[in-house]
Amino acid sequence: MSQTVTRALRILAELGEGERSLDQLAEVLGVHKTTVLRLLQSLEEERFVYRDAGYRYHLGAGLFALSGLALEQRGVRRIAAPHLAELNAATGQTVHLAAYEGGEVVYIDKYDSRHPVRMYSRIGLRAALHSAAVSKVLLADLPAPERRRVVAGIDFVPHTPRTLATPEALLAELEKVAVQGWAQDHAEHEAFINCVAAPIRDASGRVVAAASISVPDVVLPYEQVLELLPALLATTRAISADCGQTPGHF
């Protein structure tokens, strides 16, 4: 990838974390301010970036429009939408849809809980590969050699005392997930959140996405979150059927 494109992408990634000044962006990229300014001017012309009255830079409307088009091109998101909305309405809990791409698991849709306690997750955010339930579902479907390769490259950051801490522990968990057909995050990513996730398959039988229900423990204890699993599995089976999966092959 050319140096110019790489730097432009780094600017966008940095602005994704929040507004920045020209000086801050030059420091992050390690180049002179005039180089960054030329990149910013090109990005502004395409509306990927905008500069406010205080000369601070933000992500622009053009980027939002592009991200919207990217989401629309995901067929599984469109197919899953009515089913996930129904699950969200029936349970009142946060519902996520995630997909695996380029070695990462990314949230591609979210339905917020009706409760005042909200999760920080958002569409486009990456899910932790070793602790999120959706990640376990998606990694469990990978061919064994690829699964081992991906797991070997994970930085096992201990988010909570329950976070899986070694490749061996995660690989054993993924084997379990593959057999039982669902995964859980029992306070592994955030100490106060429990989650269950299940696969969505296409006509080939491969897992193309994962749906989950996430609940703060102040709303429901872990045991009651597990009681939501039948509703989640019914939902993912219905979505899989709409994606072309035939009955009896879930």
Side-chain angles (χ1 to χ4, degrees):
M1 188 181 295
S2 75
Q3 194 174 55
T4 299
V5 174
T6 299
R7 286 171 175 169
L9 292 175
R10 287 187 64 192
I11 288 173
L12 294 176
E14 185 68 18
L15 294 179
E17 300 297 322
E19 62 182 46
R20 297 288 189 270
S21 67
L22 177 60
D23 288 339
Q24 288 173 319
L25 291 171
E27 183 178 355
V28 168
L29 267 63
V31 297
H32 196 273
K33 288 190 291 186
T34 55
T35 300
V36 180
L37 185 59
R38 285 197 297 270
L39 290 169
L40 287 168
Q41 288 170 339
S42 295
L43 292 169
E44 279 188 278
E45 288 176 5
E46 299 299 326
R47 297 170 55 245
F48 289 159
V49 164
Y50 83 90
R51 184 183 63 186
D52 64 23
Y55 291 89
R56 298 183 69 81
Y57 292 88
H58 308 252
L59 294 179
L63 193 62
F64 301 149
L66 194 62
S67 66
L69 291 172
L71 287 171
E72 287 176 10
Q73 290 172 13
R74 289 185 174 272
V76 68
R77 183 177 185 265
R78 183 182 64 256
I79 293 169
H83 298 282
L84 297 181
E86 184 178 349
L87 180 65
N88 170 252
T91 64
Q93 309 301 338
T94 301
V95 173
H96 289 109
L97 182 67
Y100 180 80
E101 58 177 41
E104 297 178 335
V105 172
V106 181
Y107 292 113
I108 59 174
D109 213 346
K110 179 184 180 183
Y111 296 79
D112 280 313
S113 164
R114 71 167 67 108
H115 302 286
V117 180
R118 298 296 178 90
M119 298 183 62
Y120 80 93
S121 58
R122 64 179 185 274
I123 297 172
L125 191 70
R126 289 173 290 190
L129 292 177
H130 63 303
S131 56
V134 288
S135 296
K136 294 177 186 178
V137 165
L138 292 162
L139 294 184
D141 188 63
L142 295 177
E146 185 178 357
R147 187 191 307 173
R148 289 193 294 271
R149 180 185 61 77
V150 172
V151 170
I154 293 175
D155 181 10
F156 283 81
V157 176
H159 301 294
T160 78
R162 289 184 172 274
T163 305
L164 298 176
T166 66
E168 294 75 19
L170 179 56
L171 286 170
E173 178 81 354
L174 296 179
E175 289 285 352
K176 179 181 177 181
V177 170
V179 171
Q180 69 186 14
W182 59 276
Q184 64 176 339
D185 163 7
H186 183 11
E188 296 169 44
H189 188 68
E190 294 179 279
F192 59 94
I193 298 287
N194 291 301
C195 176
V196 287
I200 294 168
R201 300 179 185 274
D202 65 9
S204 72
R206 304 301 301 178
V207 174
V208 292
S212 68
I213 301 175
S214 302
V215 189
D217 57 14
V218 296
V219 175
L220 288 178
Y222 167 70
E223 293 75 17
Q224 287 183 257
V225 175
L226 292 181
E227 292 176 7
L228 300 175
L229 187 57
L232 174 64
L233 290 172
T235 297
T236 55
R237 289 188 186 112
I239 299 170
S240 297
D242 284 353
C243 287
Q245 181 73 350
T246 56
H249 293 83
F250 294 112

